[in-house]
Amino acid sequence: MVNPILLRVAKSAILRKFDTSYKFDEKSLLEIYPLLKKEGAAFVTLKYDHHLRGCIGSIIAHRSLYDDVVNNAVSAAFNDPRFHHLHENELSHIWVEVSVLTEPEILEYEDFNDLLKKVEQGVDGLIIKHDVYQGTFLPQVWEQLKTPKEFLEHLSMKAGLSPSVYDLHPEIYRYHVEAIEEKFDDILPL
């Protein structure tokens, strides 16, 4: 189970961006919650009345979980190129989700039909890599794309590729997530 402290870190990172005088004791926080000091990969997703409002994350762990959540929360709120930056008057409509990713593992497959059988529907997050193109879908995307075929076709398009790319046998990685979500106003600030 994901520790709710991750939601508090994400909320506080966003609040600090709105008000630079907002402070919390990072050193004490890291002493109380040593899990935050470990390397970790996380996505922070913001929803406005249950519609995507920003989502940024790391596929591979490359910094502490604390730094990853802080940076991805700020990026989801202010730097997701699909949306204008978050405004303070939207906060009462925002839901925050933090997903912590397992390390991706390569998914071996013979062809597209074999890949369809090996993808675990509703569970797997997937990464596609081909040439310079790369894209990922968190497992939460299964809520909209119900079949492995639909999921994989949209994944290729998200990466800027055609669904026919599977004939070229792109690299596919799978990962799992543990996620926690709560309404912004209900999350305790740090």
Side-chain angles (χ1 to χ4, degrees), residues 157-182:
M157 291 186 280
K158 183 184 179 196
L161 299 161
S162 160
S164 65
V165 73
Y166 294 104
D167 294 339
L168 303 174
H169 208 275
E171 288 182 5
I172 303 292
Y173 295 83
R174 85 165 94 207
Y175 58 87
H176 298 135
V177 303
E178 287 188 78
I180 186 168
E181 181 182 35
E182 196 164 333

PDB file of all heavy atoms in Angstrom, residues 157-182:
ATOM      1  N   MET A 157       0.297   5.103 -30.821  1.00  0.00           N
ATOM      2  CA  MET A 157      -0.031   6.443 -31.309  1.00  0.00           C
ATOM      3  C   MET A 157       0.448   7.507 -30.328  1.00  0.00           C
ATOM      4  O   MET A 157       0.930   8.561 -30.728  1.00  0.00           O
ATOM      5  CB  MET A 157      -1.527   6.565 -31.559  1.00  0.00           C
ATOM      6  CG  MET A 157      -1.983   5.724 -32.748  1.00  0.00           C
ATOM      7  SD  MET A 157      -3.710   5.956 -33.192  1.00  0.00           S
ATOM      8  CE  MET A 157      -4.534   4.942 -31.988  1.00  0.00           C
ATOM      9  N   LYS A 158       0.342   7.229 -29.030  1.00  0.00           N
ATOM     10  CA  LYS A 158       0.845   8.190 -28.038  1.00  0.00           C
ATOM     11  C   LYS A 158       2.337   8.417 -28.221  1.00  0.00           C
ATOM     12  O   LYS A 158       2.852   9.518 -28.023  1.00  0.00           O
ATOM     13  CB  LYS A 158       0.552   7.701 -26.618  1.00  0.00           C
ATOM     14  CG  LYS A 158       1.002   8.716 -25.566  1.00  0.00           C
ATOM     15  CD  LYS A 158       0.814   8.226 -24.162  1.00  0.00           C
ATOM     16  CE  LYS A 158       1.317   9.323 -23.200  1.00  0.00           C
ATOM     17  NZ  LYS A 158       1.514   8.816 -21.858  1.00  0.00           N
ATOM     18  N   ALA A 159       3.044   7.357 -28.607  1.00  0.00           N
ATOM     19  CA  ALA A 159       4.497   7.454 -28.804  1.00  0.00           C
ATOM     20  C   ALA A 159       4.858   8.101 -30.145  1.00  0.00           C
ATOM     21  O   ALA A 159       6.032   8.264 -30.454  1.00  0.00           O
ATOM     22  CB  ALA A 159       5.120   6.063 -28.707  1.00  0.00           C
ATOM     23  N   GLY A 160       3.834   8.446 -30.948  1.00  0.00           N
ATOM     24  CA  GLY A 160       4.098   9.043 -32.250  1.00  0.00           C
ATOM     25  C   GLY A 160       4.314   8.015 -33.343  1.00  0.00           C
ATOM     26  O   GLY A 160       4.897   8.322 -34.385  1.00  0.00           O
ATOM     27  N   LEU A 161       3.855   6.815 -33.114  1.00  0.00           N
ATOM     28  CA  LEU A 161       4.041   5.710 -34.053  1.00  0.00           C
ATOM     29  C   LEU A 161       2.686   5.245 -34.594  1.00  0.00           C
ATOM     30  O   LEU A 161       1.642   5.548 -34.026  1.00  0.00           O
ATOM     31  CB  LEU A 161       4.732   4.532 -33.340  1.00  0.00           C
ATOM     32  CG  LEU A 161       6.118   4.825 -32.776  1.00  0.00           C
ATOM     33  CD1 LEU A 161       6.496   3.787 -31.731  1.00  0.00           C
ATOM     34  CD2 LEU A 161       7.135   4.836 -33.913  1.00  0.00           C
ATOM     35  N   SER A 162       2.739   4.493 -35.656  1.00  0.00           N
ATOM     36  CA  SER A 162       1.528   3.890 -36.212  1.00  0.00           C
ATOM     37  C   SER A 162       1.289   2.555 -35.508  1.00  0.00           C
ATOM     38  O   SER A 162       2.241   1.878 -35.104  1.00  0.00           O
ATOM     39  CB  SER A 162       1.740   3.651 -37.708  1.00  0.00           C
ATOM     40  OG  SER A 162       0.830   2.691 -38.171  1.00  0.00           O
ATOM     41  N   PRO A 163       0.030   2.133 -35.382  1.00  0.00           N
ATOM     42  CA  PRO A 163      -0.226   0.802 -34.824  1.00  0.00           C
ATOM     43  C   PRO A 163       0.456  -0.326 -35.611  1.00  0.00           C
ATOM     44  O   PRO A 163       0.699  -1.405 -35.065  1.00  0.00           O
ATOM     45  CB  PRO A 163      -1.752   0.679 -34.887  1.00  0.00           C
ATOM     46  CG  PRO A 163      -2.238   2.083 -34.808  1.00  0.00           C
ATOM     47  CD  PRO A 163      -1.213   2.891 -35.573  1.00  0.00           C
ATOM     48  N   SER A 164       0.806  -0.057 -36.860  1.00  0.00           N
ATOM     49  CA  SER A 164       1.502  -1.091 -37.644  1.00  0.00           C
ATOM     50  C   SER A 164       2.945  -1.295 -37.180  1.00  0.00           C
ATOM     51  O   SER A 164       3.613  -2.219 -37.643  1.00  0.00           O
ATOM     52  CB  SER A 164       1.478  -0.736 -39.136  1.00  0.00           C
ATOM     53  OG  SER A 164       2.219   0.444 -39.366  1.00  0.00           O
ATOM     54  N   VAL A 165       3.415  -0.466 -36.255  1.00  0.00           N
ATOM     55  CA  VAL A 165       4.792  -0.613 -35.759  1.00  0.00           C
ATOM     56  C   VAL A 165       5.016  -1.988 -35.128  1.00  0.00           C
ATOM     57  O   VAL A 165       6.152  -2.472 -35.069  1.00  0.00           O
ATOM     58  CB  VAL A 165       5.152   0.516 -34.768  1.00  0.00           C
ATOM     59  CG1 VAL A 165       4.433   0.318 -33.429  1.00  0.00           C
ATOM     60  CG2 VAL A 165       6.662   0.586 -34.563  1.00  0.00           C
ATOM     61  N   TYR A 166       3.942  -2.622 -34.681  1.00  0.00           N
ATOM     62  CA  TYR A 166       4.111  -3.932 -34.040  1.00  0.00           C
ATOM     63  C   TYR A 166       4.627  -4.981 -35.026  1.00  0.00           C
ATOM     64  O   TYR A 166       5.190  -5.983 -34.606  1.00  0.00           O
ATOM     65  CB  TYR A 166       2.813  -4.361 -33.347  1.00  0.00           C
ATOM     66  CG  TYR A 166       2.484  -3.434 -32.184  1.00  0.00           C
ATOM     67  CD1 TYR A 166       1.492  -2.469 -32.295  1.00  0.00           C
ATOM     68  CD2 TYR A 166       3.216  -3.496 -31.000  1.00  0.00           C
ATOM     69  CE1 TYR A 166       1.217  -1.593 -31.246  1.00  0.00           C
ATOM     70  CE2 TYR A 166       2.955  -2.630 -29.948  1.00  0.00           C
ATOM     71  CZ  TYR A 166       1.956  -1.678 -30.079  1.00  0.00           C
ATOM     72  OH  TYR A 166       1.701  -0.816 -29.046  1.00  0.00           O
ATOM     73  N   ASP A 167       4.471  -4.726 -36.331  1.00  0.00           N
ATOM     74  CA  ASP A 167       5.073  -5.619 -37.336  1.00  0.00           C
ATOM     75  C   ASP A 167       6.598  -5.526 -37.303  1.00  0.00           C
ATOM     76  O   ASP A 167       7.293  -6.430 -37.763  1.00  0.00           O
ATOM     77  CB  ASP A 167       4.591  -5.244 -38.746  1.00  0.00           C
ATOM     78  CG  ASP A 167       3.095  -5.493 -38.925  1.00  0.00           C
ATOM     79  OD1 ASP A 167       2.527  -6.295 -38.150  1.00  0.00           O
ATOM     80  OD2 ASP A 167       2.518  -4.863 -39.830  1.00  0.00           O
ATOM     81  N   LEU A 168       7.117  -4.413 -36.763  1.00  0.00           N
ATOM     82  CA  LEU A 168       8.572  -4.194 -36.685  1.00  0.00           C
ATOM     83  C   LEU A 168       9.145  -4.628 -35.338  1.00  0.00           C
ATOM     84  O   LEU A 168      10.314  -4.402 -35.054  1.00  0.00           O
ATOM     85  CB  LEU A 168       8.891  -2.712 -36.942  1.00  0.00           C
ATOM     86  CG  LEU A 168       8.373  -2.169 -38.275  1.00  0.00           C
ATOM     87  CD1 LEU A 168       8.616  -0.657 -38.366  1.00  0.00           C
ATOM     88  CD2 LEU A 168       9.050  -2.884 -39.450  1.00  0.00           C
ATOM     89  N   HIS A 169       8.305  -5.201 -34.502  1.00  0.00           N
ATOM     90  CA  HIS A 169       8.719  -5.781 -33.222  1.00  0.00           C
ATOM     91  C   HIS A 169       9.416  -4.756 -32.312  1.00  0.00           C
ATOM     92  O   HIS A 169      10.596  -4.923 -31.936  1.00  0.00           O
ATOM     93  CB  HIS A 169       9.642  -6.990 -33.460  1.00  0.00           C
ATOM     94  CG  HIS A 169       9.575  -7.990 -32.352  1.00  0.00           C
ATOM     95  ND1 HIS A 169      10.321  -7.884 -31.208  1.00  0.00           N
ATOM     96  CD2 HIS A 169       8.821  -9.099 -32.194  1.00  0.00           C
ATOM     97  CE1 HIS A 169      10.060  -8.885 -30.408  1.00  0.00           C
ATOM     98  NE2 HIS A 169       9.151  -9.640 -30.997  1.00  0.00           N
ATOM     99  N   PRO A 170       8.705  -3.697 -31.932  1.00  0.00           N
ATOM    100  CA  PRO A 170       9.302  -2.723 -30.992  1.00  0.00           C
ATOM    101  C   PRO A 170       9.526  -3.360 -29.617  1.00  0.00           C
ATOM    102  O   PRO A 170       8.904  -4.378 -29.289  1.00  0.00           O
ATOM    103  CB  PRO A 170       8.245  -1.622 -30.915  1.00  0.00           C
ATOM    104  CG  PRO A 170       6.958  -2.331 -31.197  1.00  0.00           C
ATOM    105  CD  PRO A 170       7.304  -3.400 -32.215  1.00  0.00           C
ATOM    106  N   GLU A 171      10.410  -2.747 -28.844  1.00  0.00           N
ATOM    107  CA  GLU A 171      10.622  -3.218 -27.472  1.00  0.00           C
ATOM    108  C   GLU A 171       9.404  -2.824 -26.630  1.00  0.00           C
ATOM    109  O   GLU A 171       8.938  -1.683 -26.702  1.00  0.00           O
ATOM    110  CB  GLU A 171      11.877  -2.585 -26.865  1.00  0.00           C
ATOM    111  CG  GLU A 171      13.157  -3.097 -27.437  1.00  0.00           C
ATOM    112  CD  GLU A 171      14.376  -2.471 -26.776  1.00  0.00           C
ATOM    113  OE1 GLU A 171      14.234  -1.691 -25.802  1.00  0.00           O
ATOM    114  OE2 GLU A 171      15.482  -2.758 -27.248  1.00  0.00           O
ATOM    115  N   ILE A 172       8.944  -3.767 -25.857  1.00  0.00           N
ATOM    116  CA  ILE A 172       7.824  -3.528 -24.944  1.00  0.00           C
ATOM    117  C   ILE A 172       8.286  -3.899 -23.539  1.00  0.00           C
ATOM    118  O   ILE A 172       8.859  -4.969 -23.327  1.00  0.00           O
ATOM    119  CB  ILE A 172       6.579  -4.373 -25.309  1.00  0.00           C
ATOM    120  CG1 ILE A 172       6.142  -4.107 -26.747  1.00  0.00           C
ATOM    121  CG2 ILE A 172       5.440  -4.121 -24.319  1.00  0.00           C
ATOM    122  CD1 ILE A 172       5.596  -2.725 -27.011  1.00  0.00           C
ATOM    123  N   TYR A 173       8.053  -2.993 -22.629  1.00  0.00           N
ATOM    124  CA  TYR A 173       8.355  -3.233 -21.215  1.00  0.00           C
ATOM    125  C   TYR A 173       7.054  -3.150 -20.438  1.00  0.00           C
ATOM    126  O   TYR A 173       6.150  -2.404 -20.788  1.00  0.00           O
ATOM    127  CB  TYR A 173       9.312  -2.164 -20.676  1.00  0.00           C
ATOM    128  CG  TYR A 173      10.674  -2.204 -21.313  1.00  0.00           C
ATOM    129  CD1 TYR A 173      10.914  -1.577 -22.532  1.00  0.00           C
ATOM    130  CD2 TYR A 173      11.720  -2.855 -20.687  1.00  0.00           C
ATOM    131  CE1 TYR A 173      12.161  -1.609 -23.126  1.00  0.00           C
ATOM    132  CE2 TYR A 173      12.978  -2.890 -21.262  1.00  0.00           C
ATOM    133  CZ  TYR A 173      13.192  -2.266 -22.489  1.00  0.00           C
ATOM    134  OH  TYR A 173      14.431  -2.304 -23.059  1.00  0.00           O
ATOM    135  N   ARG A 174       7.003  -3.933 -19.362  1.00  0.00           N
ATOM    136  CA  ARG A 174       5.831  -3.856 -18.487  1.00  0.00           C
ATOM    137  C   ARG A 174       6.271  -3.473 -17.082  1.00  0.00           C
ATOM    138  O   ARG A 174       7.389  -3.756 -16.666  1.00  0.00           O
ATOM    139  CB  ARG A 174       5.050  -5.157 -18.495  1.00  0.00           C
ATOM    140  CG  ARG A 174       5.553  -6.194 -17.529  1.00  0.00           C
ATOM    141  CD  ARG A 174       4.573  -7.316 -17.280  1.00  0.00           C
ATOM    142  NE  ARG A 174       4.861  -8.441 -18.170  1.00  0.00           N
ATOM    143  CZ  ARG A 174       3.949  -9.306 -18.560  1.00  0.00           C
ATOM    144  NH1 ARG A 174       2.721  -9.197 -18.175  1.00  0.00           N
ATOM    145  NH2 ARG A 174       4.272 -10.291 -19.347  1.00  0.00           N
ATOM    146  N   TYR A 175       5.369  -2.841 -16.380  1.00  0.00           N
ATOM    147  CA  TYR A 175       5.584  -2.495 -14.972  1.00  0.00           C
ATOM    148  C   TYR A 175       4.228  -2.487 -14.275  1.00  0.00           C
ATOM    149  O   TYR A 175       3.179  -2.529 -14.931  1.00  0.00           O
ATOM    150  CB  TYR A 175       6.289  -1.137 -14.834  1.00  0.00           C
ATOM    151  CG  TYR A 175       5.543   0.008 -15.473  1.00  0.00           C
ATOM    152  CD1 TYR A 175       4.562   0.715 -14.772  1.00  0.00           C
ATOM    153  CD2 TYR A 175       5.793   0.378 -16.791  1.00  0.00           C
ATOM    154  CE1 TYR A 175       3.865   1.754 -15.372  1.00  0.00           C
ATOM    155  CE2 TYR A 175       5.103   1.420 -17.393  1.00  0.00           C
ATOM    156  CZ  TYR A 175       4.138   2.101 -16.677  1.00  0.00           C
ATOM    157  OH  TYR A 175       3.442   3.128 -17.280  1.00  0.00           O
ATOM    158  N   HIS A 176       4.275  -2.450 -12.980  1.00  0.00           N
ATOM    159  CA  HIS A 176       3.051  -2.359 -12.194  1.00  0.00           C
ATOM    160  C   HIS A 176       3.125  -1.109 -11.332  1.00  0.00           C
ATOM    161  O   HIS A 176       4.212  -0.532 -11.168  1.00  0.00           O
ATOM    162  CB  HIS A 176       2.865  -3.618 -11.329  1.00  0.00           C
ATOM    163  CG  HIS A 176       2.721  -4.851 -12.158  1.00  0.00           C
ATOM    164  ND1 HIS A 176       3.370  -6.023 -11.886  1.00  0.00           N
ATOM    165  CD2 HIS A 176       2.029  -5.088 -13.302  1.00  0.00           C
ATOM    166  CE1 HIS A 176       3.068  -6.933 -12.800  1.00  0.00           C
ATOM    167  NE2 HIS A 176       2.259  -6.377 -13.672  1.00  0.00           N
ATOM    168  N   VAL A 177       2.014  -0.691 -10.810  1.00  0.00           N
ATOM    169  CA  VAL A 177       2.009   0.484  -9.945  1.00  0.00           C
ATOM    170  C   VAL A 177       1.192   0.214  -8.693  1.00  0.00           C
ATOM    171  O   VAL A 177       0.303  -0.632  -8.685  1.00  0.00           O
ATOM    172  CB  VAL A 177       1.424   1.743 -10.645  1.00  0.00           C
ATOM    173  CG1 VAL A 177       2.172   2.077 -11.908  1.00  0.00           C
ATOM    174  CG2 VAL A 177      -0.055   1.607 -10.902  1.00  0.00           C
ATOM    175  N   GLU A 178       1.545   0.958  -7.675  1.00  0.00           N
ATOM    176  CA  GLU A 178       0.684   1.106  -6.510  1.00  0.00           C
ATOM    177  C   GLU A 178       0.301   2.570  -6.499  1.00  0.00           C
ATOM    178  O   GLU A 178       1.177   3.433  -6.627  1.00  0.00           O
ATOM    179  CB  GLU A 178       1.412   0.740  -5.226  1.00  0.00           C
ATOM    180  CG  GLU A 178       1.640  -0.746  -5.059  1.00  0.00           C
ATOM    181  CD  GLU A 178       2.185  -1.058  -3.677  1.00  0.00           C
ATOM    182  OE1 GLU A 178       1.384  -1.073  -2.731  1.00  0.00           O
ATOM    183  OE2 GLU A 178       3.403  -1.247  -3.581  1.00  0.00           O
ATOM    184  N   ALA A 179      -0.969   2.836  -6.389  1.00  0.00           N
ATOM    185  CA  ALA A 179      -1.423   4.220  -6.508  1.00  0.00           C
ATOM    186  C   ALA A 179      -2.314   4.613  -5.342  1.00  0.00           C
ATOM    187  O   ALA A 179      -2.963   3.767  -4.712  1.00  0.00           O
ATOM    188  CB  ALA A 179      -2.170   4.410  -7.822  1.00  0.00           C
ATOM    189  N   ILE A 180      -2.310   5.902  -5.069  1.00  0.00           N
ATOM    190  CA  ILE A 180      -3.180   6.464  -4.036  1.00  0.00           C
ATOM    191  C   ILE A 180      -3.719   7.774  -4.582  1.00  0.00           C
ATOM    192  O   ILE A 180      -3.004   8.509  -5.266  1.00  0.00           O
ATOM    193  CB  ILE A 180      -2.411   6.639  -2.701  1.00  0.00           C
ATOM    194  CG1 ILE A 180      -3.349   7.078  -1.597  1.00  0.00           C
ATOM    195  CG2 ILE A 180      -1.237   7.593  -2.856  1.00  0.00           C
ATOM    196  CD1 ILE A 180      -2.716   6.975  -0.196  1.00  0.00           C
ATOM    197  N   GLU A 181      -4.984   8.048  -4.292  1.00  0.00           N
ATOM    198  CA  GLU A 181      -5.639   9.247  -4.826  1.00  0.00           C
ATOM    199  C   GLU A 181      -6.514   9.879  -3.756  1.00  0.00           C
ATOM    200  O   GLU A 181      -7.132   9.178  -2.961  1.00  0.00           O
ATOM    201  CB  GLU A 181      -6.491   8.867  -6.043  1.00  0.00           C
ATOM    202  CG  GLU A 181      -7.201  10.035  -6.681  1.00  0.00           C
ATOM    203  CD  GLU A 181      -8.078   9.618  -7.862  1.00  0.00           C
ATOM    204  OE1 GLU A 181      -8.672   8.518  -7.811  1.00  0.00           O
ATOM    205  OE2 GLU A 181      -8.158  10.385  -8.810  1.00  0.00           O
ATOM    206  N   GLU A 182      -6.567  11.199  -3.766  1.00  0.00           N
ATOM    207  CA  GLU A 182      -7.441  11.897  -2.836  1.00  0.00           C
ATOM    208  C   GLU A 182      -7.718  13.297  -3.367  1.00  0.00           C
ATOM    209  O   GLU A 182      -6.924  13.839  -4.139  1.00  0.00           O
ATOM    210  CB  GLU A 182      -6.777  11.977  -1.453  1.00  0.00           C
ATOM    211  CG  GLU A 182      -7.743  12.340  -0.354  1.00  0.00           C
ATOM    212  CD  GLU A 182      -7.187  12.039   1.037  1.00  0.00           C
ATOM    213  OE1 GLU A 182      -6.333  11.138   1.185  1.00  0.00           O
ATOM    214  OE2 GLU A 182      -7.622  12.733   1.965  1.00  0.00           O
TER     215      GLU A 182
END
